[in-house]
């Protein structure tokens, strides 16, 4: 009898597992149900690799998810060590390989930080997180893939003559891509709520504009600029909304020597490290002038606030380019990765010109960053919205090929987009969005903006074709909503990258745009292209796509949370 009972139980267990294995979806299975890795891995983009990595035992999605994040952290350390080893023998490497490896080193360090933070999150709970907490970790895990892809792109672009480091790193880079994807997939399945409806808003706080001053020697003229900066800030930014903004300290950059510093980088160097939002911003007031310097804001310089004297008044400029030997990633005039960065009333330029190839003006991998009333001027690859969460309001963006590109979760609102005259034989795709994984919460949303030709393109009789975008990566995602499009936009709207690459996996959408170039009658007929309604469009607003109601108000910058 006992033997028959055991056989019946075993057969029932077999049927349950068989049904799970053969089912097309695990959506109805409780998340804490122990399952074999073959079943769990079916929901990931790389099932075979997933099965090879996860322990060969039954466990639930939370246990497997924690294991994958821990393993990803371990492999990231190993990759970083390998990169370090090759850089220590850099005298044997050509300069392009050294630059690509330096980029990879920086990106690998960032990934180690992001994975450490993500591991803390998944170790705390076995259950669905709040929308805010889930978005924080999903953003980090998405950025890990983006960082790694940036490294991979840099390595793959090198010629075989670059040395053995390139071929030796190709396998671990490929495997880590799959491992990060599996980690993101399991996190999304286990910890992320199925929708963002009813997102609780963080309590709004009244931020004050403090008058704290650094103990620095200042001339009477500099003191006057200092006080004027506070008044300027109060007039130009704080009175546009109900929120006030806390500023902890302020320094003045002035080229004539009457401020605290004559260069921007000197001011950044003395800014505090690892500030938090409640401490207030460290304000660097940059007076009018042309600052010919490459500015880099590293991750520990959190909650910096740049305020200039206005577009085309305070100008940061450089001319690094791929054509002159830089990597795209390292060509930026202004590069920022510090959380909470904000810039107001500043122009950032890359003057390399259309013949020098990729040449970035701004590269931002700064989470919760805001750019208000700024101008970004360049040609190919002007604005690199690399990763994490970003918001641009009332900015001007000039460029030619792929001049808004990257893989951040980003919203452009009330901005002016100006395609310029490219090199002969080129066309202008405005965007080249770089989403590589279906679980990344990234994409480019262009809301209530204006697209018009720059003066040089307008005077060319429009022999150059201009498109809304093209798919740089397989899951490229770009949405235009309530935006004015002038007549020079090609009726097809969008351009392919290479043949049918990504045409069925991308997500390109348009909603209620205006102007002579906005007609969708002759748009592309790709499987991934959509004309959407207001319900779908609402997913790409500041409130929903960025959960911006929880962090944009503290910046004092005006914004529209939903559709207009």
């Amino acid at each position: 009898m006992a033997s028959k009972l055991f056989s019946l139980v075993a057969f029932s267990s077999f049927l349950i597992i068989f049904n799970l294995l053969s089912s097309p979806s695990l959506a109805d299975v409780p998340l804490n149900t122990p399952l074999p890795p073959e079943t769990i891995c079916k929901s990931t983009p790389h099932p075979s690799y997933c099965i090879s990595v996860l322990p060969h035992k039954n466990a639930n999605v939370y246990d497997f998810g924690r294991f994958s994040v821990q393993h990803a952290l371990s492999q990231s350390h190993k990759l970083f060590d390998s990169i370090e080893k090759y850089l220590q023998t850099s005298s044997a490497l050509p300069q392009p390989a050294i630059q690509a490896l330096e980029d990879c080193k920086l990106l690998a360090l960032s990934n180690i930080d992001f994975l450490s933070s993500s591991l803390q999150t998944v170790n705390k709970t076995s259950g669905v997180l709040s929308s805010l907490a889930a978005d924080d970790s999903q953003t980090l895990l998405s950025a890990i893939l983006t960082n790694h892809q940036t490294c991979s792109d840099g390595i793959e672009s090198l010629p075989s003559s670059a040395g053995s480091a390139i071929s030796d790193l190709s396998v671990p880079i490929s495997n880590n891509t799959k491992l990060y994807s599996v980690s993101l997939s399991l996190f999304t399945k286990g910890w992320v709520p199925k929708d963002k409806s009813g997102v609780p808003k963080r309590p709004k706080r009244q931020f004050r504009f403090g008058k704290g001053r650094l103990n620095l020697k200042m001339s009477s003229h500099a003191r006057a600029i200092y006080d004027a900066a506070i008044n300027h800030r109060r007039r130009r930014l704080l009175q546009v909304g109900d929120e006030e903004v806390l500023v902890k300290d302020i320094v003045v950059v002035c080229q004539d020597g009457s401020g605290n510093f004559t260069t921007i980088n000197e001011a950044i160097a003395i800014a505090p490290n690892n500030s938090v939002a409640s401490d207030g911003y460290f304000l660097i007031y940059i007076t009018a002038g042309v600052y010919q310097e490459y500015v880099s804001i590293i991750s520990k310089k959190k909650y910096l606030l740049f305020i200039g004297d206005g577009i085309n008044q305070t100008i940061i400029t450089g001319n690094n380019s791929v054509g002159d030997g830089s990597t795209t990633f390292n060509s930026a005039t202004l590069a920022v990765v510090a959380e909470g960065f904000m810039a107001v009333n500043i122009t950032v330029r890359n003057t390399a010109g259309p013949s020098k190839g990729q040449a970035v003006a701004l590269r931002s991998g700064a989470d919760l960053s805001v750019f208000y009333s700024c101008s970004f001027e360049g040609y190919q690859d002007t604005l690199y919205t690399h990763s994490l969460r970003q918001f641009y309001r009332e900015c001007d963006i000039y460029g030619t090929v792929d001049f808004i590109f990257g893989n951040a979760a980003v919203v452009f609102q009330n901005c002016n987009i100006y395609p310029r005259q490219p090199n002969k034989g080129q066309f202008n795709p405005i965007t080249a969005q770089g989403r590589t994984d279906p679980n990344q919460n990234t994409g480019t949303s262009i809301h209530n903006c204006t697209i018009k030709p720059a003066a040089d393109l307008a005077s060319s009789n429009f022999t150059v074709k201009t498109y809304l975008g093209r798919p740089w990566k397989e899951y490229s995602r770009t949405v235009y909503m309530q935006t004015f499009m002038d007549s020079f936009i090609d009726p097809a709207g969008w351009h392919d990258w290479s043949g049918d690459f990504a045409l069925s996996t991308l997500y390109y959408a348009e909603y209620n745009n205006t102007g002579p170039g906005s007609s969708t009658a002759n748009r592309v007929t790709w499987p991934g292209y959509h004309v959407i309604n207001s319900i779908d469009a609402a997913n790409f607003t500041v409130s929903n796509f960025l959960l911006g109601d929880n962090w944009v108000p503290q910046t004092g910058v005006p914004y529209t949370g939903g559709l207009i």
Side-chain angles (χ1 to χ4, degrees):
M1 182 67 181
S3 177
K4 289 182 178 180
L5 180 60
F6 175 79
S7 297
L8 182 60
V9 170
F11 182 70
S12 298
S13 299
F14 168 79
L15 285 178
I16 292 171
I17 293 174
F18 177 80
N19 287 334
L20 290 173
L21 285 169
S22 60
S23 64
S25 171
L26 300 176
D28 298 328
V29 179
L31 293 172
N32 59 1
T33 304
L35 298 168
E38 291 81 4
T39 304
I40 295 286
C41 289
K42 287 177 67 176
S43 64
T44 70
H46 305 283
S48 297
Y49 180 81
C50 174
I51 292 169
S52 73
V53 169
L54 295 185
H56 294 286
K57 64 178 184 180
N58 285 15
N60 62 38
V61 68
Y62 298 108
D63 293 333
F64 280 138
R66 278 185 280 269
F67 176 87
S68 68
V69 173
Q70 177 66 67
H71 188 52
L73 178 58
S74 174
Q75 293 304 110
S76 294
H77 278 288
K78 289 180 180 179
L79 179 62
F80 176 80
D81 291 341
S82 296
I83 294 167
E84 278 271 77
K85 181 186 74 173
Y86 286 114
L87 283 171
Q88 287 170 4
T89 61
S90 60
S91 59
L93 295 173
Q95 190 60 32
I98 295 172
Q99 290 190 359
L101 288 170
E102 289 286 0
D103 290 349
C104 286
K105 178 182 174 180
L106 179 66
L107 293 160
L109 272 176
S110 179
N111 279 355
I112 289 169
D113 288 343
F114 291 170
L115 281 163
S116 298
S117 177
S118 300
L119 186 61
Q120 290 179 16
T121 298
V122 298
N123 279 340
K124 287 178 183 177
T125 182
S126 293
V128 175
L129 295 168
S130 70
S131 291
L132 293 174
D135 195 60
D136 286 343
S137 290
Q138 189 178 10
T139 295
L140 293 182
L141 291 167
S142 295
I144 288 162
L145 267 170
T146 301
N147 287 343
H148 194 67
Q149 185 66 50
T150 303
C151 169
S152 178
D153 286 347
I155 295 295
E156 289 177 1
S157 68
L158 294 171
S160 57
S161 59
S164 63
I166 307 310
S167 57
D168 291 348
L169 286 173
S170 61
V171 172
I173 285 175
S174 175
N175 286 342
N176 279 14
T177 298
K178 296 173 185 176
L179 179 56
Y180 298 150
S181 177
V182 167
S183 298
L184 174 59
S185 177
L186 294 178
F187 178 83
T188 302
K189 181 168 182 59
W191 283 269
V192 175
K194 301 308 176 189
D195 61 66
K196 294 181 179 180
S197 61
V199 175
K201 294 179 174 58
R202 289 173 181 157
K204 286 191 175 183
R205 294 172 291 176
Q206 289 298 314
F207 288 82
R208 63 191 182 281
F209 194 95
K211 293 197 176 185
R213 298 177 179 178
L214 290 180
N215 186 21
L216 297 170
K217 184 178 180 180
M218 301 173 70
S219 67
S220 58
H221 178 56
R223 182 69 65 187
I225 296 176
Y226 178 104
D227 292 335
I230 292 177
N231 292 331
H232 174 87
R233 169 72 170 150
R234 195 184 301 276
R235 281 198 316 272
R236 297 293 298 277
L237 186 59
L238 295 183
Q239 292 185 354
V240 298
D242 297 330
E243 297 287 338
E244 289 188 329
V245 177
L246 176 63
V247 173
K248 183 179 182 181
D249 287 306
I250 180 172
V251 293
V252 178
V253 178
C254 196
Q255 289 181 320
D256 66 7
S258 61
N260 306 111
F261 304 101
T262 57
T263 70
I264 300 166
N265 283 308
E266 288 175 315
I268 294 169
I270 61 92
N273 296 329
N274 297 314
S275 296
V276 295
S278 57
D279 288 343
Y281 287 99
F282 184 87
L283 194 163
I284 300 176
Y285 173 47
I286 309 168
T287 62
V290 179
Y291 295 82
Q292 295 182 338
E293 52 181 307
Y294 294 97
V295 178
S296 178
I297 303 171
I298 60 177
S299 60
K300 66 182 179 180
K301 297 294 182 179
K302 298 178 181 178
Y303 290 93
L304 282 189
L305 167 57
F306 281 11
I307 296 182
D309 276 333
I311 290 174
N312 293 329
Q313 297 298 310
T314 297
I315 300 167
I316 308 172
T317 185
N319 63 357
N320 280 346
S321 68
V322 169
D324 283 332
S326 177
T327 61
T328 302
F329 184 79
N330 203 35
S331 67
T333 301
L334 170 61
V336 53
V337 295
E339 179 181 318
F341 177 77
M342 180 160 62
V344 183
N345 297 336
I346 289 173
T347 290
V348 184
R349 287 179 180 159
N350 189 312
T351 62
S355 65
K356 293 291 187 177
Q358 298 93 328
V360 176
L362 168 70
R363 169 173 54 83
S364 178
D367 200 20
L368 309 179
S369 54
V370 173
F371 298 84
Y372 177 44
S373 188
C374 290
S375 182
F376 308 101
E377 301 175 10
Y379 292 87
Q380 182 170 349
D381 289 5
T382 301
L383 179 52
Y384 195 174
T385 57
H386 181 261
S387 56
L388 302 168
R389 293 165 290 194
Q390 307 178 27
F391 178 55
Y392 295 74
R393 171 84 181 198
E394 296 172 32
C395 292
D396 298 338
I397 308 151
Y398 295 81
T400 57
V401 179
D402 305 333
F403 66 97
I404 300 173
F405 76 113
N407 195 26
V410 57
V411 175
F412 295 90
Q413 193 173 84
N414 294 31
C415 293
N416 298 308
I417 298 172
Y418 296 111
R420 305 173 93 167
Q421 180 73 14
N423 269 349
K424 184 178 181 180
Q426 291 182 323
F427 59 91
N428 283 338
I430 294 172
T431 64
Q433 206 282 327
R435 186 166 171 253
T436 61
D437 191 283
N439 291 302
Q440 286 180 306
N441 61 352
T442 55
T444 298
S445 174
I446 296 176
H447 183 207
N448 196 37
C449 293
T450 298
I451 305 173
K452 291 185 175 182
D456 60 348
L457 184 60
S459 64
S460 70
N461 296 319
F462 302 114
T463 55
V464 172
K465 291 190 174 184
T466 297
Y467 299 89
L468 300 177
R470 60 175 178 164
W472 181 28
K473 300 296 181 182
E474 188 173 3
Y475 292 92
S476 183
R477 181 160 65 176
T478 302
V479 179
Y480 285 82
M481 310 185 298
Q482 299 177 314
T483 286
F484 176 86
M485 301 177 181
D486 215 340
S487 59
F488 72 114
I489 299 297
D490 191 90
W494 307 81
H495 199 283
D496 65 275
W497 185 271
S498 178
D500 62 359
F501 169 74
L503 302 188
S504 61
T505 51
L506 61 77
Y507 183 89
Y508 287 168
E510 298 182 56
Y511 168 72
N512 203 24
N513 297 307
T514 59
S518 67
S519 172
T520 59
N522 295 305
R523 289 296 198 244
V524 294
T525 57
W526 306 336
Y529 171 73
H530 309 274
V531 177
I532 56 177
N533 59 28
S534 60
I535 295 173
D536 292 330
N539 292 322
F540 298 97
T541 58
V542 172
S543 295
N544 291 332
F545 194 49
L546 301 180
L547 300 189
D549 295 332
N550 301 286
W551 59 275
V552 177
Q554 74 183 46
T555 69
V557 171
Y559 76 100
T560 301
L563 297 170
I564 296 170

